[in-house]
Amino acid sequence: MLVRRLRGILGSHDADVVVRSARPAAEGFDARFSAVWRRYEYRVADASAEHDPMQRHRTVWYPRELDVDSMDVAAQTLIGLADFAAFCKPREEATTIRTLQSYRWRRSGDGALVASLQADAFCHSMVRALVGACLAVGEGRLDVGGPTELLHARERTSAFKVLPAKGLTLTEVGYPPDEELAARAQQTRARRELHVDGVVG
């Protein structure tokens, strides 16, 4: 009954969100702050990929050919705990310290380039900025170490463009066991700082 009503609220069969199941949330659950990781994908069709009109709503078309191997190497240099201020739109009182758990690039069966990213959390525009930095590598405007240098500078730059939202898809969110949900939410709400020894507190 609940699932059917939620589907009715969301609208027609071509809605962007589909509810498949529902159950009562555990005590302390917070959809945003209880999460321990988020996973995104970003699709780009470069000059060597077939521009499939059926994928136009979830793929960015890029006019130049990109070197996916260099992009993948550059992406992996960004993995870890860091201040991602260079890749985040600043917000007052918001921290830009994140743990990027994985970041890979591959060419899919249809020829599109697909970025897969996972982090404990992402700040505003962070995924699209990280993608833009690696596209600059793939195009030859930045060398493979360029994104890491920008990361360490901790400042916004014009060395790459933040990609549009169209190619971005949230694919999965991970949560801890029910008994840890409230504690995780409290931990997430606490402002994080990056110390010299790398400890966040």
Side-chain angles (χ1 to χ4, degrees):
M1 176 71 77
L2 176 60
V3 170
R4 187 168 65 249
R5 289 193 175 190
L6 288 172
R7 286 177 177 172
I9 292 170
L10 290 170
S12 63
H13 295 294
D14 62 351
D16 291 333
V17 178
V18 176
V19 178
R20 301 188 185 278
S21 64
R23 65 179 178 89
E27 184 176 354
F29 174 77
D30 185 292
R32 177 183 176 190
F33 292 108
S34 294
V36 291
W37 52 263
R38 288 92 167 157
R39 188 177 298 149
Y40 284 89
E41 284 191 352
Y42 197 99
R43 285 174 50 91
V44 180
D46 67 352
S48 65
E50 180 179 348
H51 289 184
D52 182 356
M54 301 297 289
Q55 301 291 343
R56 68 188 184 281
H57 295 302
R58 69 186 192 109
T59 305
V60 169
W61 291 355
Y62 201 77
R64 298 175 181 84
E65 187 168 348
L66 299 167
D67 180 351
V68 66
D69 293 330
S70 295
M71 292 163 63
D72 187 51
V73 172
Q76 292 180 68
T77 67
L78 297 167
I79 294 172
L81 171 68
D83 186 342
F84 283 88
F87 301 97
C88 297
K89 185 175 181 179
R91 289 184 170 181
E92 189 174 354
E93 298 300 319
T95 181
T96 52
I97 297 168
R98 299 288 188 268
T99 300
L100 184 62
Q101 298 163 341
S102 64
Y103 184 11
R104 299 299 303 263
W105 279 93
R106 61 182 172 84
R107 194 174 288 277
S108 65
D110 64 0
L113 301 177
V114 181
S116 300
L117 305 90
Q118 180 177 308
D120 59 345
F122 291 95
C123 46
H124 187 60
S125 80
M126 179 175 164
V127 174
R128 295 184 291 120
L130 289 170
V131 169
C134 283
L135 259 63
V137 171
E139 193 179 334
R141 290 187 289 111
L142 283 178
D143 61 31
V144 169
T148 303
E149 294 174 5
L150 297 174
L151 175 70
H152 294 155
R154 300 184 185 181
E155 294 181 354
R156 297 284 280 184
T157 176
S158 60
F160 62 87
K161 291 183 179 180
V162 176
L163 273 289
K166 185 172 72 168
L168 183 65
T169 302
L170 173 65
T171 59
E172 194 173 357
V173 180
Y175 292 96
D178 288 353
E179 62 272 16
E180 299 175 14
L181 289 168
R184 173 61 185 178
Q186 183 177 7
Q187 178 188 10
T188 303
R189 286 188 177 95
R191 181 178 175 84
R192 294 189 283 183
E193 296 179 359
L194 191 62
H195 300 292
V196 173
D197 57 5
V199 176
V200 175

